[in-house]
Amino acid sequence: MTDRVFVPLASGQWLALEPDAFRQALEAGAALASQAPAAQTDEPLIDSDALAKVLSLPVTWIEQAAREGRIPCLRAGRWVRFRRSAVEGALSRDNRGAA
């Protein structure tokens, strides 16, 4: 019988992996994490009015795009806030994809 590594899943089930497969998955996850941009925690959060003014877009467009998931936002109950850099990055990626 071979050894296995058991990983608990959010569903309450377990995933059994061979030790080599587990190590490969950890290395792949570490590689992805190192490629992800670090979150800028010192950047202030702004509301939809301020973001609309900065981007020269209607507030209604900002709010609808946030509801539809087209731009990233942070939700705290009924309040929605934005990181300007994250929204500009999402808009930039969308424009490159459309070209």
Side-chain angles (χ1 to χ4, degrees):
M1 183 167 162
T2 61
D3 291 334
R4 296 193 185 239
V5 177
F6 291 93
V7 181
L9 302 176
S11 65
Q13 297 177 328
W14 292 83
L15 177 64
L17 296 172
E18 298 291 330
D20 289 337
F22 180 70
R23 271 191 290 285
Q24 289 175 351
L26 284 178
E27 290 169 3
L32 287 174
S34 68
Q35 294 173 358
Q40 293 185 4
T41 56
D42 59 342
E43 182 181 0
L45 297 175
I46 57 177
D47 63 11
S48 56
D49 291 330
L51 183 63
K53 184 177 277 191
V54 167
L55 298 178
S56 299
L57 292 169
V59 175
T60 54
W61 187 92
I62 298 290
E63 292 170 346
Q64 182 176 357
R67 275 193 305 275
E68 294 173 354
R70 291 186 287 155
I71 59 173
C73 64
L74 300 167
R75 296 185 186 278
R78 64 185 178 118
W79 293 277
V80 179
R81 296 295 182 261
F82 304 89
R83 290 196 194 281
R84 178 181 174 178
S85 62
V87 173
E88 288 175 340
L91 293 174
S92 176
R93 283 189 299 276
D94 283 351
N95 286 338
R96 279 186 291 210

